[in-house]
Amino acid sequence: MSHVIAAVSTGWQVSAIGILRLSGDGAIAVADRVFTALDGRPLAETADRRLVLGTLRDARGRLLDQVLATVSRGPRSYTGEDTAELQCHGSPAVLAAGLEALFAAGARQAGPGEFTRRAFLNGRMDLSQAEAVIDLIEAESAEAAANAAGQLAGAVTRRIDPIYEELAGLCAHFHAVLDYPDDEIEEFRTPALRASLESAAQSLAALGDTFRRGSALKAGLRAVLLGKPNVGKSSLLNALAGYERVIVTDVAGTTRDAVTETLRLGGRTWRLTDTAGLRETRDRIEALGVGKSREAARGADLALCVFDGSRPLDEADEAVLAAAAQAGQALAVVNKCDLPQRLAPETLPLPAVAVSARTGQGLDRLEAAVAARFPDAGGWDGSVLTNARQKAAVDRASAALASAGRALEAGMTPDAVLLDVEEALEALGEINGRTVRAEITDQIFSRFCVGK
């Protein structure tokens, strides 16, 4: 028996619709205590997934709202239990009073992610699918949402399960030979074991290799704006972000710390960092900012080197070019093209684009240049690994299989080899939840909002 839980699943902001969600044994009966259908029929007599119009009353029986209610009986529900939802108008006051009425009727407050945790515990989804739920909620681009939706549909599971089953089969075969020596079970042969280990290792390596793309998809590629003071780095960030993200003045050295904004550029999601102007300074605080600028360049996928097109190149600009060499790729952005020009883009040692952060001129060319260097390869069907916890489990499984391969080549007996195979199985089981520990699930579901 599971206690009935209730929560606001749409958040507490003012909105057109707010949803009160319930799950657990007796959830429909609890909903019936606060909801009255206009046709007089209780929800207990209503078909699954059918919207019913009625009224919601508070703990004192006073009318709160006219709402739509729906029920889904377990096991064919999101959580695998009996569930009910009350779709109210999105007033925080109405939702709070409705939630209090549900508590008075026998429900308790749901914890963070408790609905999805119950779905996992009741076998409605595995752990990788449960993690995809929060990734889908937090997706910042259509591509990230599509990949999370694919994972929610079981894409990671479909890649892991064949590997898991093959390794489990090896272990089962070995133990069958040991436990039933008089039965006619095919002996354990080294060539077959070696082939299975190599096949599993290759499949895991291919899955692990997708994480670099997946990490960039989920968190965004990293770009940094480099340039000496007053070339227009902050103005360019504001222009690309579409609002005034950074204070802009004509005083050199205004930006003293790194400022990062997530935005779309060239069809990809970027975490673009505006940095302190690169120059020699005796100001201790500004010097710290300059150090962060150089550090940001070392970790960036792309450095956008900003130059003032109304001034000729000088030693400070040369230092910018040197710092940009630490990034994965670099583009020159010749700013202030709306002013008389003294710096020709073709004279720079980098591919260059002329823009005006003030007027927006040339920003389309900059976007095209970025897109050409970082094309979207597509394939966001959920088969790309985006979760760091899952990547760590894949790495541990790969290391265990590598150890098993070395043991096999060293001539060790199958039982010694299969100790490493069992270690790989345990690691893979942490991805789909077959062997996961309670503290891991606690950590995963703590990321969820209440009501999901």
Side-chain angles (χ1 to χ4, degrees), residues 177-190:
V177 172
L178 287 183
D179 294 341
Y180 304 99
D182 297 331
D183 291 353
E184 295 183 0
I185 301 175
E186 184 180 357
E187 292 185 7
F188 214 67
R189 301 185 183 280
T190 298

Side-chain angles (χ1 to χ4, degrees), residues 39 75 118 133 161 171 220 234 239 274 347 415 439:
D39 64 6
R118 290 188 176 195
V133 171
D161 276 358
C171 294
S234 297
D274 182 23
T347 63
D415 59 323
E439 58 267 27

Side-chain angles (χ1 to χ4, degrees), residues 77 80 109 151 156 161 168 171 173 181 198 201 214 260 270 277 283 288 290 301 349 356 369 404 409 430 432 443 450:
S77 68
Q109 174 67 58
Q151 291 178 349
V156 172
D161 276 358
C171 294
H173 184 186
E198 290 177 351
T260 301
W270 291 87
D283 186 304
L288 290 173
V290 171
D301 298 292
S356 171
E409 293 303 320
E430 290 184 5
N432 53 27
Q443 183 179 19
V450 173

Side-chain angles (χ1 to χ4, degrees), residues 31-379:
D32 264 329
R33 294 178 192 131
V34 301
F35 173 80
T36 303
L38 292 188
D39 64 6
R41 294 178 60 192
L43 291 173
E45 299 177 6
T46 301
D48 283 5
R49 289 171 286 281
R50 178 183 177 185
L51 287 173
V52 179
L53 180 63
T55 57
L56 173 66
R57 296 185 180 274
D58 68 10
R60 298 182 182 180
R62 298 174 299 186
L63 178 64
L64 276 176
D65 196 5
Q66 189 173 71
V67 304
L68 290 169
T70 183
V71 300
S72 294
R73 293 170 177 83
R76 297 180 61 190
S77 68
Y78 179 77
T79 62
E81 306 168 332
D82 287 353
T83 63
E85 287 189 353
L86 302 172
Q87 300 180 14
C88 313
H89 293 91
S91 161
V94 168
L95 294 172
L99 194 59
E100 286 297 326
L102 291 172
F103 293 159
R108 69 161 173 82
Q109 174 67 58
E114 190 167 0
F115 291 92
T116 305
R117 181 194 285 265
R118 290 188 176 195
F120 165 63
L121 294 175
N122 291 326
R124 293 295 290 169
M125 59 178 68
D126 67 27
L127 198 58
S128 68
Q129 292 173 298
E131 288 181 293
V133 171
I134 191 63
D135 288 345
L136 187 55
I137 292 171
E138 296 177 348
E140 296 184 359
S141 68
E143 296 86 358
N147 199 71
Q151 291 178 349
L152 181 57
V156 172
T157 301
R158 287 191 293 273
R159 295 194 69 168
I160 290 294
D161 276 358
I163 306 171
Y164 188 97
E165 296 301 334
E166 182 175 5
L167 297 179
L170 290 177
C171 294
H173 184 186
F174 174 74
H175 289 295
V177 172
L178 287 183
D179 294 341
Y180 304 99
D182 297 331
D183 291 353
E184 295 183 0
I185 301 175
E186 184 180 357
E187 292 185 7
F188 214 67
R189 301 185 183 280
T190 298
L193 176 56
R194 180 183 296 109
S196 293
L197 291 179
E198 290 177 351
S199 173
Q202 289 171 3
S203 297
L204 282 179
L207 178 59
D209 287 345
T210 68
F211 182 69
R212 182 179 177 88
R213 286 185 66 217
S215 181
L217 171 70
K218 187 175 179 179
L221 293 161
R222 294 168 298 174
V224 60
L225 291 167
L226 297 176
K228 65 186 182 184
N230 264 15
V231 294
K233 298 185 302 300
S234 297
S235 296
L236 182 58
L237 176 61
N238 290 343
L240 294 173
Y243 74 106
E244 192 173 344
R245 174 67 175 85
V246 187
I247 295 173
V248 175
T249 74
D250 58 1
V251 178
T254 301
T255 301
R256 296 188 170 202
D257 200 358
V259 178
T260 301
E261 176 71 10
T262 300
L263 48 81
R264 296 284 289 179
L265 183 65
R268 303 292 299 274
T269 300
W270 291 87
R271 291 182 57 80
L272 180 59
T273 300
D274 182 23
T275 63
L278 295 178
R279 67 173 179 178
E280 296 298 326
T281 177
R282 295 182 179 180
D283 186 304
R284 186 169 60 90
I285 297 176
E286 186 180 358
L288 290 173
V290 171
K292 284 190 175 183
S293 300
R294 300 184 190 279
E295 182 180 346
R298 284 193 290 272
D301 298 292
L302 173 66
L304 294 176
C305 303
V306 186
F307 304 97
D308 184 345
S310 67
R311 297 179 180 276
L313 211 65
D314 59 21
E315 289 185 4
D317 293 317
E318 297 288 352
V320 171
L321 291 169
Q326 303 297 314
Q329 293 196 47
L331 275 173
V333 182
V334 181
N335 192 26
K336 306 183 184 181
C337 70
D338 52 317
L339 300 177
Q341 295 296 284
R342 299 183 62 189
L343 176 59
E346 59 271 16
T347 63
L348 293 168
L350 295 175
V353 179
V355 306
S356 171
R358 186 178 67 84
T359 68
Q361 181 181 347
L363 293 184
D364 56 341
R365 293 192 297 271
L366 174 59
E367 186 154 352
V370 172
R373 282 156 182 78
F374 293 88
D376 184 357

